Short mmCIF file of all heavy atoms in Angstrom, two decimals:
data_model
loop_
_atom_site.label_atom_id
_atom_site.label_comp_id
_atom_site.label_asym_id
_atom_site.label_seq_id
_atom_site.Cartn_x
_atom_site.Cartn_y
_atom_site.Cartn_z
N GLU M 7 6.67 15.98 -3.11
CA GLU M 7 7.52 16.63 -2.08
C GLU M 7 7.15 18.13 -1.94
O GLU M 7 7.10 18.59 -0.77
CB GLU M 7 8.99 16.53 -2.52
CG GLU M 7 9.57 15.15 -2.37
CD GLU M 7 11.01 15.03 -2.84
OE1 GLU M 7 11.66 16.09 -3.05
OE2 GLU M 7 11.43 13.90 -3.13
N GLU M 8 6.88 18.77 -3.00
CA GLU M 8 6.51 20.17 -2.90
C GLU M 8 5.18 20.38 -2.19
O GLU M 8 5.04 21.29 -1.39
CB GLU M 8 6.41 20.80 -4.31
CG GLU M 8 6.13 22.27 -4.30
CD GLU M 8 6.21 22.94 -5.68
OE1 GLU M 8 6.80 22.33 -6.61
OE2 GLU M 8 5.68 24.05 -5.83
N LEU M 9 4.22 19.50 -2.48
CA LEU M 9 2.90 19.55 -1.81
C LEU M 9 2.93 19.03 -0.40
O LEU M 9 2.05 19.34 0.40
CB LEU M 9 1.86 18.81 -2.64
CG LEU M 9 1.55 19.42 -4.04
CD1 LEU M 9 0.68 18.49 -4.84
CD2 LEU M 9 0.97 20.83 -3.93
N GLY M 10 3.86 18.13 -0.13
CA GLY M 10 3.95 17.54 1.21
C GLY M 10 2.98 16.42 1.48
O GLY M 10 2.77 16.05 2.64
N VAL M 11 2.41 15.88 0.42
CA VAL M 11 1.43 14.75 0.56
C VAL M 11 1.64 13.77 -0.60
O VAL M 11 2.02 14.17 -1.72
CB VAL M 11 -0.03 15.24 0.55
CG1 VAL M 11 -0.33 16.10 1.75
CG2 VAL M 11 -0.38 15.96 -0.70
N PRO M 12 1.42 12.48 -0.31
CA PRO M 12 1.43 11.52 -1.45
C PRO M 12 0.17 11.68 -2.28
O PRO M 12 -0.94 11.88 -1.76
CB PRO M 12 1.51 10.15 -0.74
CG PRO M 12 0.91 10.39 0.60
CD PRO M 12 1.19 11.81 0.97
N LEU M 13 0.34 11.64 -3.57
CA LEU M 13 -0.80 11.74 -4.49
C LEU M 13 -1.26 10.42 -5.04
O LEU M 13 -2.40 10.30 -5.50
CB LEU M 13 -0.40 12.67 -5.69
CG LEU M 13 -0.03 14.11 -5.31
CD1 LEU M 13 0.52 14.87 -6.50
CD2 LEU M 13 -1.20 14.83 -4.68
N PHE M 14 -0.39 9.41 -4.93
CA PHE M 14 -0.71 8.07 -5.44
C PHE M 14 -0.37 7.01 -4.43
O PHE M 14 0.62 7.12 -3.71
CB PHE M 14 0.07 7.75 -6.74
CG PHE M 14 -0.29 8.62 -7.91
CD1 PHE M 14 0.46 9.74 -8.20
CD2 PHE M 14 -1.34 8.29 -8.71
CE1 PHE M 14 0.12 10.54 -9.29
CE2 PHE M 14 -1.70 9.09 -9.80
CZ PHE M 14 -0.96 10.20 -10.10
N HIS M 15 -1.17 5.93 -4.44
CA HIS M 15 -0.78 4.68 -3.76
C HIS M 15 -0.09 3.90 -4.87
O HIS M 15 -0.69 3.71 -5.93
CB HIS M 15 -2.01 3.91 -3.27
CG HIS M 15 -2.76 4.57 -2.16
ND1 HIS M 15 -2.23 4.67 -0.87
CD2 HIS M 15 -3.98 5.08 -2.11
CE1 HIS M 15 -3.12 5.29 -0.09
NE2 HIS M 15 -4.19 5.56 -0.83
N ARG M 16 1.12 3.51 -4.62
CA ARG M 16 1.86 2.78 -5.65
C ARG M 16 1.79 1.27 -5.33
O ARG M 16 2.34 0.83 -4.35
CB ARG M 16 3.29 3.27 -5.72
CG ARG M 16 3.34 4.67 -6.33
CD ARG M 16 4.66 5.37 -5.97
NE ARG M 16 4.83 6.67 -6.67
CZ ARG M 16 4.29 7.82 -6.27
NH1 ARG M 16 3.59 7.86 -5.18
NH2 ARG M 16 4.51 8.93 -6.94
N GLY M 17 1.15 0.53 -6.25
CA GLY M 17 1.09 -0.94 -6.07
C GLY M 17 2.02 -1.61 -7.05
O GLY M 17 2.88 -0.96 -7.71
N ASN M 18 1.89 -2.90 -7.18
CA ASN M 18 2.78 -3.68 -8.08
C ASN M 18 2.53 -3.30 -9.51
O ASN M 18 3.49 -3.16 -10.32
CB ASN M 18 2.59 -5.19 -7.88
CG ASN M 18 3.16 -5.64 -6.55
OD1 ASN M 18 3.97 -4.93 -5.93
ND2 ASN M 18 2.71 -6.80 -6.08
N SER M 19 1.29 -3.27 -9.93
CA SER M 19 1.04 -3.08 -11.38
C SER M 19 0.25 -1.78 -11.68
O SER M 19 0.31 -1.27 -12.79
CB SER M 19 0.26 -4.27 -11.94
OG SER M 19 -0.99 -4.38 -11.26
N ARG M 20 -0.48 -1.28 -10.73
CA ARG M 20 -1.31 -0.08 -10.97
C ARG M 20 -1.05 0.98 -9.90
O ARG M 20 -0.65 0.69 -8.81
CB ARG M 20 -2.78 -0.47 -11.01
CG ARG M 20 -3.16 -1.17 -12.28
CD ARG M 20 -4.68 -1.38 -12.36
NE ARG M 20 -5.35 -0.13 -12.36
CZ ARG M 20 -6.03 0.35 -13.41
NH1 ARG M 20 -6.06 -0.34 -14.51
NH2 ARG M 20 -6.71 1.48 -13.32
N LEU M 21 -1.40 2.18 -10.28
CA LEU M 21 -1.40 3.26 -9.35
C LEU M 21 -2.85 3.59 -8.96
O LEU M 21 -3.78 3.28 -9.71
CB LEU M 21 -0.81 4.51 -10.02
CG LEU M 21 0.64 4.41 -10.44
CD1 LEU M 21 1.01 5.66 -11.29
CD2 LEU M 21 1.55 4.33 -9.25
N LYS M 22 -3.00 4.16 -7.79
CA LYS M 22 -4.32 4.57 -7.34
C LYS M 22 -4.16 5.93 -6.65
O LYS M 22 -3.24 6.12 -5.95
CB LYS M 22 -4.92 3.57 -6.36
CG LYS M 22 -6.30 3.91 -5.90
CD LYS M 22 -6.87 2.88 -4.97
CE LYS M 22 -8.26 3.34 -4.50
NZ LYS M 22 -8.76 2.52 -3.42
N LEU M 23 -5.07 6.85 -6.97
CA LEU M 23 -5.03 8.17 -6.35
C LEU M 23 -5.33 8.07 -4.84
O LEU M 23 -6.23 7.33 -4.43
CB LEU M 23 -6.03 9.10 -7.01
CG LEU M 23 -5.64 9.63 -8.37
CD1 LEU M 23 -6.86 10.35 -9.01
CD2 LEU M 23 -4.51 10.60 -8.32
N THR M 24 -4.58 8.80 -4.05
CA THR M 24 -4.90 8.94 -2.67
C THR M 24 -6.05 9.98 -2.53
O THR M 24 -6.38 10.68 -3.53
CB THR M 24 -3.69 9.49 -1.86
OG1 THR M 24 -3.39 10.80 -2.35
CG2 THR M 24 -2.50 8.56 -2.02
N PRO M 25 -6.66 10.11 -1.40
CA PRO M 25 -7.67 11.15 -1.24
C PRO M 25 -7.09 12.53 -1.56
O PRO M 25 -7.75 13.38 -2.16
CB PRO M 25 -8.08 11.04 0.23
CG PRO M 25 -7.89 9.60 0.57
CD PRO M 25 -6.66 9.22 -0.20
N ALA M 26 -5.85 12.77 -1.18
CA ALA M 26 -5.16 14.08 -1.52
C ALA M 26 -5.06 14.19 -3.01
O ALA M 26 -5.24 15.27 -3.61
CB ALA M 26 -3.83 14.18 -0.83
N GLY M 27 -4.65 13.07 -3.67
CA GLY M 27 -4.52 13.10 -5.11
C GLY M 27 -5.84 13.37 -5.87
O GLY M 27 -5.82 14.10 -6.83
N GLU M 28 -6.91 12.80 -5.36
CA GLU M 28 -8.22 13.07 -5.97
C GLU M 28 -8.60 14.55 -5.81
O GLU M 28 -9.07 15.15 -6.73
CB GLU M 28 -9.29 12.16 -5.33
CG GLU M 28 -9.10 10.70 -5.72
CD GLU M 28 -10.18 9.82 -5.12
OE1 GLU M 28 -11.24 10.31 -4.66
OE2 GLU M 28 -9.93 8.61 -5.07
N ALA M 29 -8.33 15.10 -4.64
CA ALA M 29 -8.65 16.51 -4.41
C ALA M 29 -7.73 17.41 -5.28
O ALA M 29 -8.23 18.37 -5.88
CB ALA M 29 -8.46 16.88 -2.95
N PHE M 30 -6.48 17.04 -5.40
CA PHE M 30 -5.55 17.86 -6.18
C PHE M 30 -5.83 17.78 -7.68
O PHE M 30 -5.60 18.71 -8.44
CB PHE M 30 -4.11 17.47 -5.89
CG PHE M 30 -3.11 18.41 -6.51
CD1 PHE M 30 -2.97 19.71 -6.08
CD2 PHE M 30 -2.29 17.98 -7.55
CE1 PHE M 30 -2.06 20.57 -6.65
CE2 PHE M 30 -1.39 18.82 -8.14
CZ PHE M 30 -1.27 20.15 -7.70
N LEU M 31 -6.35 16.65 -8.14
CA LEU M 31 -6.64 16.46 -9.56
C LEU M 31 -7.61 17.50 -10.07
O LEU M 31 -7.41 18.04 -11.13
CB LEU M 31 -7.24 15.02 -9.81
CG LEU M 31 -7.54 14.67 -11.21
CD1 LEU M 31 -6.32 14.81 -12.12
CD2 LEU M 31 -8.17 13.27 -11.30
N ALA M 32 -8.62 17.84 -9.33
CA ALA M 32 -9.60 18.85 -9.75
C ALA M 32 -8.89 20.20 -9.89
O ALA M 32 -9.12 20.95 -10.85
CB ALA M 32 -10.73 18.96 -8.75
N HIS M 33 -8.03 20.56 -8.94
CA HIS M 33 -7.26 21.78 -9.03
C HIS M 33 -6.34 21.80 -10.19
O HIS M 33 -6.22 22.82 -10.90
CB HIS M 33 -6.51 22.05 -7.74
CG HIS M 33 -7.37 22.30 -6.51
ND1 HIS M 33 -8.10 23.43 -6.37
CD2 HIS M 33 -7.61 21.52 -5.44
CE1 HIS M 33 -8.78 23.39 -5.22
NE2 HIS M 33 -8.49 22.25 -4.63
N ALA M 34 -5.66 20.72 -10.41
CA ALA M 34 -4.64 20.62 -11.50
C ALA M 34 -5.38 20.79 -12.84
O ALA M 34 -4.90 21.51 -13.71
CB ALA M 34 -3.93 19.30 -11.47
N ARG M 35 -6.48 20.11 -13.05
CA ARG M 35 -7.23 20.26 -14.27
C ARG M 35 -7.69 21.68 -14.48
O ARG M 35 -7.65 22.21 -15.63
CB ARG M 35 -8.42 19.30 -14.31
CG ARG M 35 -8.02 17.88 -14.54
CD ARG M 35 -9.22 16.95 -14.59
NE ARG M 35 -8.85 15.65 -15.00
CZ ARG M 35 -9.47 14.53 -14.64
NH1 ARG M 35 -10.52 14.60 -13.87
NH2 ARG M 35 -9.02 13.36 -15.07
N ASP M 36 -8.17 22.31 -13.46
CA ASP M 36 -8.62 23.69 -13.54
C ASP M 36 -7.46 24.64 -13.84
O ASP M 36 -7.63 25.52 -14.74
CB ASP M 36 -9.31 24.13 -12.22
CG ASP M 36 -9.91 25.52 -12.32
OD1 ASP M 36 -10.67 25.80 -13.24
OD2 ASP M 36 -9.51 26.36 -11.49
N LEU M 37 -6.35 24.44 -13.25
CA LEU M 37 -5.20 25.29 -13.53
C LEU M 37 -4.73 25.11 -14.99
O LEU M 37 -4.42 26.12 -15.65
CB LEU M 37 -4.05 25.00 -12.58
CG LEU M 37 -4.27 25.48 -11.14
CD1 LEU M 37 -3.22 24.83 -10.23
CD2 LEU M 37 -4.18 27.01 -11.08
N LEU M 38 -4.68 23.88 -15.48
CA LEU M 38 -4.28 23.67 -16.86
C LEU M 38 -5.28 24.28 -17.84
O LEU M 38 -4.90 24.88 -18.83
CB LEU M 38 -4.12 22.16 -17.14
CG LEU M 38 -2.90 21.49 -16.44
CD1 LEU M 38 -2.97 20.00 -16.64
CD2 LEU M 38 -1.62 22.06 -17.03
N ARG M 39 -6.59 24.12 -17.55
CA ARG M 39 -7.58 24.74 -18.39
C ARG M 39 -7.44 26.25 -18.43
O ARG M 39 -7.47 26.85 -19.52
CB ARG M 39 -8.97 24.38 -17.89
CG ARG M 39 -10.13 24.95 -18.72
CD ARG M 39 -11.52 24.75 -18.06
NE ARG M 39 -11.56 25.24 -16.69
CZ ARG M 39 -11.69 26.53 -16.34
NH1 ARG M 39 -11.76 27.47 -17.28
NH2 ARG M 39 -11.79 26.89 -15.08
N ARG M 40 -7.23 26.86 -17.28
CA ARG M 40 -7.10 28.28 -17.21
C ARG M 40 -5.83 28.77 -17.89
O ARG M 40 -5.80 29.81 -18.54
CB ARG M 40 -7.16 28.76 -15.75
CG ARG M 40 -8.57 28.62 -15.20
CD ARG M 40 -8.77 28.88 -13.75
NE ARG M 40 -8.14 30.12 -13.32
CZ ARG M 40 -7.76 30.34 -12.09
NH1 ARG M 40 -7.94 29.43 -11.14
NH2 ARG M 40 -7.20 31.48 -11.76
N SER M 41 -4.76 28.03 -17.80
CA SER M 41 -3.50 28.42 -18.45
C SER M 41 -3.66 28.33 -19.99
O SER M 41 -3.18 29.18 -20.71
CB SER M 41 -2.31 27.60 -18.00
OG SER M 41 -2.41 26.28 -18.43
N ASN M 42 -4.39 27.30 -20.46
CA ASN M 42 -4.67 27.21 -21.91
C ASN M 42 -5.53 28.35 -22.38
O ASN M 42 -5.29 28.90 -23.46
CB ASN M 42 -5.35 25.88 -22.22
CG ASN M 42 -4.39 24.71 -22.14
OD1 ASN M 42 -3.22 24.87 -22.32
ND2 ASN M 42 -4.92 23.53 -21.88
N GLU M 43 -6.49 28.76 -21.57
CA GLU M 43 -7.36 29.90 -21.92
C GLU M 43 -6.50 31.18 -22.02
O GLU M 43 -6.73 32.02 -22.88
CB GLU M 43 -8.48 30.08 -20.94
CG GLU M 43 -9.56 28.99 -21.07
CD GLU M 43 -10.58 29.06 -19.96
OE1 GLU M 43 -10.49 29.94 -19.04
OE2 GLU M 43 -11.54 28.26 -19.99
#
């Protein structure tokens, strides 16, 4: 809701990243790495 885009396709048993989710994943990992540093 905050980002304004769906990050996952929600299926019956598994989740799948949307294209927006795949793009955001790189940013999220980088932000977490930088906050740990």
Side-chain angles (χ1 to χ4, degrees):
E7 286 176 18
E8 185 174 342
L9 295 173
V11 295
L13 299 172
F14 294 96
H15 293 291
R16 289 161 173 85
N18 290 340
S19 61
R20 286 187 60 110
L21 297 171
K22 183 179 177 189
L23 285 169
T24 64
E28 289 180 19
F30 188 68
L31 181 59
H33 292 291
R35 284 180 172 152
D36 184 54
L37 288 167
L38 289 172
R39 178 189 55 78
R40 290 174 48 203
S41 70
N42 287 334
E43 288 173 358

